[in-house]
Amino acid sequence: MKVTVKKKDTAVQVSISTEFIKLESAMKLMNIVPSGGSAKLEIQEGFVTVNGEKCTMRGKKLYAGDRFSYEGDEFVIVNNGTAED
């Protein structure tokens, strides 16, 4: 007997209506930092991961389906409410 366990996706959706959003802007949009300056510092200090890898580029472009994590919370970029596979 084969058993398959699916992990429920608990990432918070970041809905955008453009082709991409910069990492710094996504953090501000979701109110996880109080300002762009705070986002810049957190990113440059290496506290943010993008798609599972540490990212220190605050201008990193995130597209639908990309994920970023900060302080144990995970966020996924969606375009008009649906993530691209």
Side-chain angles (χ1 to χ4, degrees):
M1 178 163 107
K2 183 176 180 181
V3 176
T4 304
V5 177
K6 270 191 167 179
K7 182 179 176 185
K8 184 177 178 184
D9 190 0
T10 58
V12 176
Q13 292 187 347
V14 181
S15 183
I16 62 172
S17 58
T18 56
E19 181 183 359
F20 65 86
I21 187 170
K22 291 184 179 180
L23 177 57
E24 176 181 26
S25 298
M27 292 178 72
K28 289 190 308 186
L29 176 67
M30 297 308 293
N31 293 315
I32 56 177
V33 291
S35 67
S38 296
K40 174 184 174 180
L41 289 174
E42 295 299 298
I43 295 166
Q44 288 179 333
E45 291 294 321
F47 296 124
V48 181
T49 62
V50 174
N51 297 325
E53 296 182 14
K54 183 168 54 168
C55 180
T56 57
M57 299 180 297
R58 67 182 181 151
K60 172 77 173 165
K61 292 178 182 178
L62 303 176
Y63 297 88
D66 284 339
R67 295 173 174 268
F68 71 95
S69 298
Y70 175 71
E71 290 190 341
D73 295 321
E74 187 172 14
F75 302 86
V76 62
I77 307 301
V78 295
N79 195 319
N80 295 325
T82 55
E84 291 181 2
D85 291 331

